[in-house]
Amino acid sequence: MSEAREFKYIGQSTIRPDGYDKVTGRAAYGADLTLPGMIWGRILRSPHAHANILSIDTTKAEAHPDVLAVATYADFVELQSKSVAASEGAADVLDLARNCLADDKALYHGHAIAAIAARTERAAKDALSLIEVKYELLPPVMDVEDAMKDDAPVLHADMFTAGYEERPSKASNIAVRTEMKMGDIDAGFAEADVIIEREFRTPTAHQGYIEPHACTVRYDEDGQSMIWCSTQGHFDVRTSTAKVLGMDLGKLKVIASEIGGGFGGKTVVYLEPVALVLSKKSGRPVKMVMERDEVFIATGPTSAAKLRAKIGAKKDGTITACQGWMAYEAGAFKGSPMMPGVMTMFTPYECANVTVEGFDVVVNKSKSAAYRAPGAPQAEYAAEMVVNELAEALGMDPIDLRLKNAAKAGTQTIYGPKLKTVGLVECLEAAKNSPHYQSAIAEGNGRGIAAGFWFNIGGQSSVTVNMNPDGTGTIVEGSPDIGGSRASMQMMAAEVLGIAPSNLNPIIADTETLPYSASTGGSRTTFATGMAVIEASESVVAQVKQRAAAVWNVTAEQVDYADGVASNTAGDDKLTLAEVCKSAEQTGGQISGMANINARGAGPSFAVHICDVFVDQDTGKVDVIRYTAIQDAGKAIHPAYVEGQLQGGAVQGIGWALNEEYIFDENGVMENQGFLDYRIPLASDLPMIETIVVEVPNAFHPYGVRGVGETGIIPPLATVGWAVGKAIDRKVEELPCSPPRVLALIQNG
Amino acid sequence: MAKTHVSTSINGEATEFLCEPGDTLLDVLRNDLQMTGTKEGCGSGDCGACSVTFNGALVCSCLVLGVEAQGAEIGTIEGIGDNDKLHVIQEKFLEHAALQCGICTPGLIVSTKALLEKNPDPTETEARYYLAGNLCRCTGYDKIIRAVMDSAEVMRGGA
Amino acid sequence: MATVIFSSELQKLTGEEQTSVKARIYKDIIAELITRYSSLEEENLMKMAIAIDGEIVHNPLLEVIDETSELHFLYRISGG
């Protein structure tokens, strides 16, 4: 579908069309909407990590003169019905609802118990203390090891591990057990000259978006409702909220505000169904905005994990067997990204003998949510650390070892299909030839390398391209713009229509204006919504040809279209796009193209990162001295924003490797609930992040696009972890490499 | 409790508002004055999204009380650039793709302007440390620092 | 006849590593599989993604599958 070609507009770093709003403060985010008569909602949260809820008494709160509504799980009346229980995905809807407002158990510190709507935000917050909740305390379970013990306190009495031949007779905290295998790992390890086996741990970490969750909603008399919210997927907000509240989709309009970061954490609802209940009960629009501590204790985070990786290789570096084991914390409800972890762990390497076993385990922490390539960073961290140790044991350069075994077109994956064309080899070669890798490691510094793989996804996108009588147009699409994608949509439409991008205005439409677009996530937007933009634009071109053909009395096949001009191949006539649009009223009506697609053929993106660190051996503080991120983008539509994804992912990974973790006290309460002590990287922590964008086109996209947003967070964990280990001559196993841990390694290693 | 009447000046315009003693300047700007360009990321002075200038000094407006604005000169993102012409810092942020989601951008632009008024020729390290109070989760800061250094050069009369 | 290759998870339900299917349209292939393997239920398959010669798609019910094609059911990735 795509060959190497010259593009007229694609591949430029244009000024994003929403840029003026963003640099002036005009852009409206989740907390920026006010409606007439609006009141404020706040949530009462559990102070306990694990407790039975014996009773909730809201009478005093309801009697407060400023309080206009109170909500609890009992207000989700539709869920109690038998038809919901029998419907598809019912268990997931119940879990979602019970996370929005607790049913009979408080399952984590911060779990929403009840909600209040009052005339002012302060009154709502103050009135929370008037709600009387009786708890029966239960011992909290705070990590996978404790949760998986035979005598562990059980969070859900109806949880029986799925994935065994026979369903266990006893409830446990293990929701799912899975195993993927190919070949014969015993034979594979028997062939190996060197075997490396290590155990690793990664912490609970949060996506860390700077904008807290926020929404303004209104439930009208006939149930016609509106939600304005910060989200990666407003169509999915509509689906989830409608399911929880038993509403028809046509009664619920969701408008995606501009979004201040999501990274996967805003693909799930927390406030919206609750706010709608409060609006229904009070008869007023309701605004709910989370405070920063609420974001940390009650949303996200990503799964902490315990992992084991074992790899065997021959003396010449051929990998003969790979074995993995992982247990991921799902948080209070099942559904960690353990499965993608299992699927990605060893995928960068061609090996006939691989077995990976994984466990999805519930613990008394906030329900985990997606975070940039969910599940892959943890698993690939373990594998990449062992690959580096293997290289060392074999006396091989770590890039050469990876080149020798690199996955490529035709490589069999553990999850079933063979890979199609991919760019890992190209990334490894670019890494080897990079100025960074060619430079000597400074005295006392440590250097790390690691690779990363993520599938990327396609899925549904709807787009219309509406042409105006003056030849300008509007691109109506449904993918909330988290990183500048509107600029790429503008360029892709411009490329098809042959007119300058500035003639086309891309907008993100609400759920009433387009049929459906899947969430912005999974690195799908430039790929799938881009594909729909191209298809809708091609429809415009086809209509333009038809109109021109009618005017010239020829057939549409006799009309060529290039560079914004239709030409009569059977004569000399020409008409510009603007001229055809100007006469559209007379030739049959306005011109508009539409595409509703389920995009397929998403191409995986491989990455390789290099990092040099310096460790202060007296304090354990790690400084990142130099960092290079190399990744395959297929085709970079907007090079600067592609670089931005590589840099942003790298820095999130650096934070995860060096400092980010939830610290809990003995009662399961998070002690570092703010940005001061949940330490994400600052401008002063980092050097410039060098990027090399490799382009191995994805044949399934008209312009060769591969998603790039997610893969970049995967390599940093091992890149940095290994670099730290080299700098201090110790084996790093547990992340993050925060000063206390590094000091302990130095002193005890 | 009766509200306090406050007379202040915001972006050079005389402004009056009523607020509770416990309201922050950030609350007042966003909820009472509908000036939503200043953002709340944390409410505790750790992220810088709420950066404004207060009598010329760079502050987190979530750490200033509304009543403290009495008689003061407040500078917000809305006062930087105008409809006809962006400030060079705003232009450079766009040119360098120094924003992805944009939520930290207003705070960063206010902080950058304050930095460059104080130190028109910062080194990269000085810029990074001055802006360490403005958290960004999307960009990794690389393109932000490039935009800041480029802005500084232009504002000094360079290329 | 298209070839369906089962993941190690699905092998627990089918008892086989792979099979050939006579049906040509995807929805009919699903029907053929759940008829052939009594432990396999429609919802097991419908909630998965399918790779058709390596190209990953969700529930392409009306898709005509080439008889030389290889099909793999796999866990649906959603991303973040």
Side-chain angles (χ1 to χ4, degrees):
Chain A
M1 243 188 256
S2 77
E3 314 91 29
R5 55 190 263 202
E6 287 296 308
F7 291 103
K8 191 165 178 181
Y9 299 112
I10 301 285
Q12 296 169 32
S13 292
T14 55
I15 301 293
R16 60 196 284 171
D18 55 307
Y20 302 99
D21 286 346
K22 298 256 159 86
V23 297
T24 56
R26 265 199 311 269
Y29 291 83
D32 294 339
L33 180 69
T34 297
L35 291 176
M38 189 180 82
I39 61 177
W40 292 78
R42 289 299 304 247
I43 303 248
L44 176 71
R45 298 189 179 279
S46 169
H48 307 297
H50 196 194
N52 286 321
I53 299 171
L54 301 176
S55 64
I56 304 175
D57 185 349
T58 59
T59 26
K60 290 205 183 97
E62 289 178 72
H64 187 297
D66 286 329
V67 170
L68 297 172
V70 177
T72 63
Y73 184 82
D75 287 299
F76 293 149
V77 290
E78 293 296 329
L79 290 176
Q80 325 305 340
S81 79
K82 289 201 175 66
S83 62
V84 169
S87 67
E88 191 190 315
D92 295 337
V93 176
L94 287 175
D95 278 354
L96 172 64
R98 287 188 295 205
N99 197 42
C100 291
L101 284 172
D103 183 3
D104 54 358
K105 283 190 91 168
L107 289 162
Y108 53 97
H109 168 252
H111 194 171
I113 305 295
I116 285 186
R119 285 179 223 282
T120 66
E121 195 177 13
R122 183 177 303 283
K125 201 172 171 183
D126 289 345
L128 291 177
S129 57
L130 298 175
I131 301 178
E132 291 168 347
V133 186
K134 286 208 177 70
Y135 296 101
E136 176 191 15
L137 291 176
L138 300 168
V141 180
M142 299 305 292
D143 65 41
V144 290
E145 257 157 358
D146 285 343
M148 292 170 85
K149 290 188 177 135
D150 270 332
D151 57 352
V154 166
L155 270 68
H156 301 280
D158 58 353
M159 182 169 284
F160 297 90
T161 311
Y164 287 109
E165 298 275 344
E166 269 193 46
R167 192 182 99 135
S169 54
K170 196 171 146 216
S172 74
N173 294 317
I174 304 172
V176 179
R177 178 242 174 209
T178 200
E179 192 180 42
M180 287 201 173
K181 39 177 152 193
M182 50 182 185
D184 178 349
I185 53 161
D186 291 328
F189 282 123
E191 275 189 274
D193 296 314
V194 178
I195 296 176
I196 307 286
E197 181 172 8
R198 286 271 168 207
E199 191 171 290
F200 299 93
R201 299 188 90 100
T202 63
T204 306
H206 196 274
Q207 297 81 348
Y209 31 85
I210 306 299
E211 181 206 23
H213 299 257
C215 65
T216 297
V217 312
R218 195 183 61 222
Y219 188 104
D220 291 341
E221 295 80 4
D222 65 346
Q224 201 67 37
S225 300
M226 185 280 296
I227 295 175
W228 160 282
C229 63
S230 171
T231 178
Q232 292 173 242
H234 45 319
F235 288 90
D236 293 333
V237 169
R238 183 181 69 169
T239 306
S240 315
T241 306
K243 276 204 181 119
V244 171
L245 300 181
M247 296 171 72
D248 290 340
L249 296 176
K251 288 287 205 189
L252 183 49
K253 168 172 166 168
V254 184
I255 305 168
S257 69
E258 296 295 337
I259 173 174
F263 315 109
K266 289 186 181 156
T267 58
V268 61
V269 295
Y270 298 98
L271 299 172
E272 291 79 0
V274 180
L276 219 49
V277 168
L278 292 171
S279 181
K280 184 177 182 183
K281 292 179 90 167
S282 64
R284 304 275 284 267
V286 172
K287 180 166 182 168
M288 295 187 77
V289 182
M290 283 199 194
E291 293 192 344
R292 177 51 52 183
D293 58 346
E294 294 181 281
V295 176
F296 275 119
I297 64 177
T299 74
T302 192
S303 304
K306 182 175 165 185
L307 312 120
R308 286 196 289 273
K310 180 177 175 186
I311 304 184
K314 294 203 217 163
K315 268 198 287 276
D316 71 351
T318 308
I319 293 176
T320 59
C322 300
Q323 184 173 18
W325 181 99
M326 64 192 74
Y328 277 38
E329 288 180 14
F333 300 94
K334 70 182 188 309
S336 74
M338 171 274 289
M339 195 66 95
V342 168
M343 293 161 77
T344 57
M345 188 172 187
F346 297 109
T347 299
Y349 306 104
E350 190 159 308
C351 177
N353 309 307
V354 186
T355 298
V356 186
E357 186 184 16
F359 294 86
D360 180 40
V361 182
V362 294
V363 295
N364 291 114
K365 293 181 182 175
S366 170
K367 166 89 185 74
S368 67
Y371 182 17
R372 214 162 192 160
Q378 299 92 322
E380 294 192 57
Y381 159 65
E384 293 297 305
M385 291 293 278
V386 169
V387 168
N388 284 336
E389 195 171 344
L390 189 61
E392 209 157 61
L394 293 169
M396 273 181 88
D397 172 282
I399 296 184
D400 286 338
L401 174 60
R402 288 176 168 87
L403 276 167
K404 190 169 177 65
N405 297 279
K408 43 193 181 297
T411 297
Q412 177 67 53
T413 65
I414 197 178
Y415 54 90
K418 296 187 176 59
L419 290 176
K420 305 195 97 55
T421 304
V422 287
L424 175 57
V425 168
E426 288 80 353
C427 286
L428 287 165
E429 284 168 351
K432 198 162 182 189
N433 297 323
S434 67
H436 185 169
Y437 201 69
Q438 295 289 317
S439 71
I441 307 173
E443 182 74 33
N445 287 3
R447 176 170 294 173
I449 300 269
F453 161 85
W454 184 249
F455 320 83
N456 299 331
I457 66 174
Q460 296 187 78
S461 284
S462 293
V463 170
T464 66
V465 174
N466 299 331
M467 299 309 297
N468 301 317
D470 63 357
T472 60
T474 308
I475 304 164
V476 183
E477 50 119 334
S479 293
D481 185 351
I482 56 184
S485 50
R486 268 169 287 199
S488 297
M489 302 307 157
Q490 207 181 26
M491 274 189 278
M492 286 187 275
E495 193 71 37
V496 174
L497 296 172
I499 59 175
S502 54
N503 288 301
L504 297 161
N505 183 31
I507 67 168
I508 315 297
D510 63 45
T511 58
E512 288 183 340
T513 313
L514 287 171
Y516 184 84
S517 280
S519 275
T520 297
S523 308
R524 68 175 300 273
T525 306
T526 309
F527 171 75
T529 299
M531 224 189 248
V533 166
I534 291 166
E535 192 175 306
S537 304
E538 284 170 345
S539 168
V540 167
V541 169
Q543 291 170 65
V544 165
K545 284 182 174 178
Q546 278 165 354
R547 302 296 177 96
V551 164
W552 298 328
N553 283 322
V554 297
T555 66
E557 290 73 28
Q558 291 174 298
V559 178
D560 262 356
Y561 184 90
D563 295 323
V565 178
S567 328
N568 182 359
T569 59
D572 291 327
D573 317 88
K574 289 191 193 303
L575 280 171
T576 65
L577 173 62
E579 285 167 336
V580 173
C581 290
K582 187 171 178 187
S583 62
E585 182 186 357
Q586 292 99 33
T587 60
Q590 297 307 309
I591 296 174
S592 151
M594 176 180 80
N596 293 309
I597 69 172
N598 192 344
R600 47 202 284 178
S605 181
F606 277 94
V608 176
H609 288 196
I610 310 165
C611 178
D612 289 1
V613 303
F614 169 77
V615 180
D616 181 325
Q617 309 238 2
D618 294 321
T619 62
K621 182 171 186 293
V622 179
D623 284 331
V624 175
I625 304 301
R626 190 167 183 181
Y627 201 97
T628 303
I630 301 145
Q631 191 173 331
D632 178 13
K635 172 67 193 167
I637 304 294
H638 191 298
Y641 285 119
V642 168
E643 288 164 5
Q645 289 301 314
L646 271 52
Q647 292 167 332
V651 170
Q652 282 185 314
I654 289 170
W656 198 339
L658 286 183
N659 264 309
E660 294 179 40
E661 65 176 319
Y662 276 45
I663 298 170
F664 290 92
D665 71 13
E666 68 278 5
N667 296 315
V669 176
M670 184 189 185
E671 292 186 317
N672 55 336
Q673 298 172 24
F675 280 129
L676 185 63
D677 295 313
Y678 181 87
R679 180 75 164 59
I680 74 174
L682 313 178
S684 50
D685 289 332
L686 299 163
M688 294 296 183
I689 309 291
E690 295 162 62
T691 59
I692 300 174
V693 177
V694 164
E695 288 181 321
V696 176
N698 171 19
F700 294 97
H701 185 277
Y703 301 146
V705 167
R706 291 178 194 272
V708 293
E710 292 170 289
T711 300
I713 200 175
I714 299 167
L717 274 63
T719 305
V720 173
W722 185 261
V724 171
K726 294 305 293 172
I728 61 176
D729 192 25
R730 298 282 189 272
K731 288 280 169 277
V732 167
E733 288 169 343
E734 190 171 359
L735 294 181
C737 295
S738 53
R741 258 196 212 91
V742 171
L743 270 183
L745 268 179
I746 292 171
Q747 284 154 14
N748 306 333
Chain B
M1 190 177 291
K3 291 192 180 188
T4 305
H5 176 268
V6 175
S7 295
T8 185
S9 168
I10 301 184
N11 299 324
E13 282 182 29
T15 308
E16 295 178 58
F17 58 83
L18 295 173
C19 72
E20 306 264 359
D23 289 342
T24 63
L25 177 58
L26 179 62
D27 292 333
V28 168
L29 284 170
R30 290 183 51 79
N31 300 330
D32 298 292
L33 298 176
Q34 262 80 63
M35 293 175 74
T36 56
T38 306
K39 307 297 179 192
E40 176 164 343
C42 71
S44 54
D46 299 314
C47 76
C50 68
S51 298
V52 299
T53 56
F54 186 97
N55 291 334
L58 182 66
V59 298
C60 284
S61 56
C62 70
L63 295 180
V64 176
L65 293 175
V67 293
E68 292 184 74
Q70 175 67 36
E73 184 65 53
I74 312 289
T76 73
I77 182 68
E78 287 90 350
I80 298 180
D82 58 47
N83 269 2
D84 293 335
K85 199 163 163 30
L86 290 179
H87 190 284
V88 68
I89 297 172
Q90 291 168 311
E91 281 177 355
K92 290 301 174 186
F93 266 66
L94 287 176
E95 198 183 300
H96 286 271
L99 56 144
Q100 288 179 29
C101 80
I103 194 79
C104 70
T105 306
L108 261 162
I109 290 175
V110 169
S111 295
T112 300
K113 184 160 178 281
L115 159 67
L116 297 180
E117 277 163 10
K118 202 168 175 172
N119 180 357
D121 193 5
T123 62
E124 180 188 324
T125 304
E126 284 170 336
R128 284 182 177 278
Y129 273 84
Y130 191 94
L131 297 175
N134 288 86
L135 300 189
C136 173
R137 195 54 161 166
C138 293
T139 67
Y141 305 103
D142 180 296
K143 294 181 187 300
I144 290 173
I145 299 300
R146 291 180 199 276
V148 170
M149 303 302 283
D150 196 4
S151 302
E153 194 181 337
V154 171
M155 286 166 71
R156 287 194 305 271
Chain C
M1 306 237 281
T3 310
V4 177
I5 300 169
F6 297 114
S7 64
S8 34
E9 287 295 314
L10 284 178
Q11 283 176 35
K12 290 181 194 160
L13 297 173
T14 63
E16 289 184 332
E17 283 186 12
Q18 65 179 64
T19 190
S20 299
V21 283
K22 295 193 195 68
R24 296 294 306 283
I25 300 179
Y26 184 77
K27 64 179 176 63
D28 298 332
I29 291 178
I30 300 281
E32 189 177 334
L33 290 171
I34 60 182
T35 307
R36 190 174 305 171
Y37 303 104
S38 53
S39 304
L40 201 56
E41 293 183 21
E42 191 172 349
E43 67 152 17
N44 294 130
L45 299 178
M46 294 297 279
K47 71 180 186 206
M48 301 189 87
I50 186 79
I52 304 171
D53 297 321
E55 192 184 336
I56 299 175
V57 171
H58 296 172
N59 292 339
L61 291 181
L62 307 177
E63 181 107 356
V64 176
I65 308 293
D66 196 271
E67 50 192 20
T68 60
S69 286
E70 244 181 44
L71 302 177
H72 294 262
F73 288 99
L74 54 153
Y75 177 82
R76 247 185 227 207
I77 301 297
S78 46

